[in-house]
Amino acid sequence: MAVTIGQLKENLGKEVKSRVLLAPYTNFKIGGPAKFFFEARSSADLIKAAQVANEFKIPFLVLGGGSNVLVSDKGFNGLVVLARNNNWQIEGTKVTAEAGVNLGFLVQKTVSFSLSGFEPLVAVPGTVGGAIYGNAGVPQVERGFIGDWVENVTVCREDKLVLLNKEECEFTYRNSIFKKNNDIILSALFNLNKGSFETSQELVKKFIAARRGQPYHKPSSGCIFMNVPIVDIEEVRHKFKGEEKIEDFIKKGQLPASWLIDKAGLKNKTIGGIQVSEDHANYLINIGGGKAEQVVQMISYIKQQVRDQFGIQLQEEVRYIGF
Ligand SMILES: Cc1cc2nc3c(=O)[nH]c(=O)nc-3n(C[C@H](O)[C@H](O)[C@H](O)COP(=O)(O)OP(=O)(O)OC[C@H]3O[C@@H](n4cnc5c(N)ncnc54)[C@H](O)[C@@H]3O)c2cc1C
């Protein structure tokens, strides 16, 4: 028998809501309603919500800052839990943060404690939990990913608390074990370097300035595709003969998806309310009234064009919800 909002309120408290539009909780400003919606203000709330969803056998989703998701126009037919557990602590070089802590805020705090390491993450929107899920960061920088600084991560796995060390998190470029399982990330412990406030503050300014020119404040999910690892250097040299940036890409080991999309002539391409950004071709912008369906069509069109023109298969970075 289908669970009712009354039953959920009995188990989770009267704050549980039904039919809450998800668009305002995403950076894309796209997405239909969640059947049930709950804001978890503590890790205990997150665990309880997972237990209740399990008990009533309803689909369950944790949302952080909503900056890397595409929510279907039909929404999500289950319980969406917003991670808003946001305690944090700094002791020496050790930083503990719950999943719902805003990442940019945490970066600023670490800098103010004269700790170094997190500076490249300053302009990555979203939460600590979302960043760990996708090993967020900046590939151009040494130790530029959040996973590079993790000592351990505490998760809720099938109703049990589990402590995973860094190796067990299996961090790679835009990837982690959490993309393959249903763990709920509750908190993480990081070990940063001792640094100087002034140097870190300068670095933070540099990383913020590097975003200038990107459509940072427009509704999007950031980069829609992952960069493409270069496997066969000679093949890439041959395919893109005469391109001045190619040796630089080879050195970095990746072809930027934005460069490929731009080269395919797709900047400004528009489908309904969705447009390939003129400023950064790996951003799809919701220029007004954009629908998830149109984003899906655009993704499919870009993948086809890049495949046809360069024989390269792009892979989405954004997470599909409710499809
Ligand atoms: C303008 C812009 C710039 C960006 N720049 C960068 C960049 O430079 N580098 C980069 O890596 N990314 C970038 N992104 C993408 C995005 O900011 C990151 O992926 C971010 O880490 C996502 O965090 P979030 O809290 O918003 O996650 P959400 O979008 O809320 O969720 C993403 C995924 O994580 C899962 N998740 C979230 N929290 C938890 C949890 N507690 N437990 C289990 N699963 C969870 C969700 O279920 C979902 O599948 C950018 C995005 C935008 C909009």
Side-chain angles (χ1 to χ4, degrees), residues 293-307:
E293 200 49 45
Q294 295 160 352
V295 177
V296 170
Q297 283 170 25
M298 185 68 95
I299 287 175
S300 162
Y301 182 75
I302 293 171
K303 285 174 89 167
Q304 184 208 344
Q305 286 296 313
V306 170
R307 196 170 51 236

Side-chain angles (χ1 to χ4, degrees), residues 48-197:
K48 180 78 184 150
Q51 282 168 343
V52 169
N54 203 12
E55 197 180 316
F56 287 104
K57 299 194 172 21
I58 44 178
F60 178 78
L61 174 82
V62 183
L63 206 56
S67 64
N68 203 25
V69 289
L70 176 65
V71 178
S72 145
D73 299 318
K74 293 197 297 288
F76 183 78
N77 191 22
L79 174 62
V80 172
V81 177
L82 212 54
R84 291 295 176 263
N85 49 336
N86 57 9
N87 288 315
W88 59 274
Q89 200 179 0
I90 298 180
E91 268 181 41
T93 59
K94 307 272 180 169
V95 179
T96 313
E98 286 188 313
V101 173
N102 177 279
L103 187 60
F105 165 86
L106 189 65
V107 175
Q108 298 286 5
K109 283 291 161 201
T110 60
V111 169
S112 73
F113 277 69
S114 298
L115 293 179
S116 180
F118 271 179
E119 297 91 335
L121 303 173
V122 68
V124 177
T127 61
V128 167
I132 286 179
Y133 178 89
N135 192 20
V138 177
Q140 299 81 3
V141 179
E142 210 188 327
R143 297 193 78 186
F145 295 104
I146 194 163
D148 296 330
W149 301 97
V150 161
E151 207 157 284
N152 58 53
V153 175
T154 303
V155 300
C156 173
R157 180 178 288 172
E158 288 161 11
D159 285 0
K160 289 190 189 65
L161 286 187
V162 180
L163 189 71
L164 301 174
N165 65 31
K166 183 178 172 170
E167 284 65 41
E168 289 168 317
C169 295
E170 297 180 12
F171 291 117
T172 53
Y173 169 65
R174 296 287 192 267
N175 216 339
S176 74
I177 184 88
F178 310 113
K179 285 195 172 179
K180 296 176 223 147
N181 64 23
N182 293 320
D183 285 354
I184 299 162
I185 300 157
L186 298 175
S187 65
L189 172 66
F190 307 95
N191 190 13
L192 302 191
N193 291 334
K194 275 205 182 86
S196 98
F197 171 74

Side-chain angles (χ1 to χ4, degrees), residues 180-242:
K180 296 176 223 147
N181 64 23
N182 293 320
D183 285 354
I184 299 162
I185 300 157
L186 298 175
S187 65
L189 172 66
F190 307 95
N191 190 13
L192 302 191
N193 291 334
K194 275 205 182 86
S196 98
F197 171 74
E198 287 75 20
T199 312
S200 291
Q201 190 71 337
E202 279 311 305
L203 272 175
V204 157
K205 280 189 198 149
K206 192 188 103 186
F207 284 111
I208 291 174
R211 300 279 173 157
R212 255 179 234 135
Q214 287 187 17
Y216 199 75
H217 299 291
K218 294 183 180 167
S220 79
S221 67
C223 290
I224 205 93
F225 297 106
M226 292 191 256
N227 292 334
V228 182
I230 296 178
V231 183
D232 187 335
I233 293 177
E234 284 318 311
E235 189 195 354
V236 166
R237 273 203 184 106
H238 177 72
K239 202 176 270 178
F240 297 103
K241 206 170 166 194

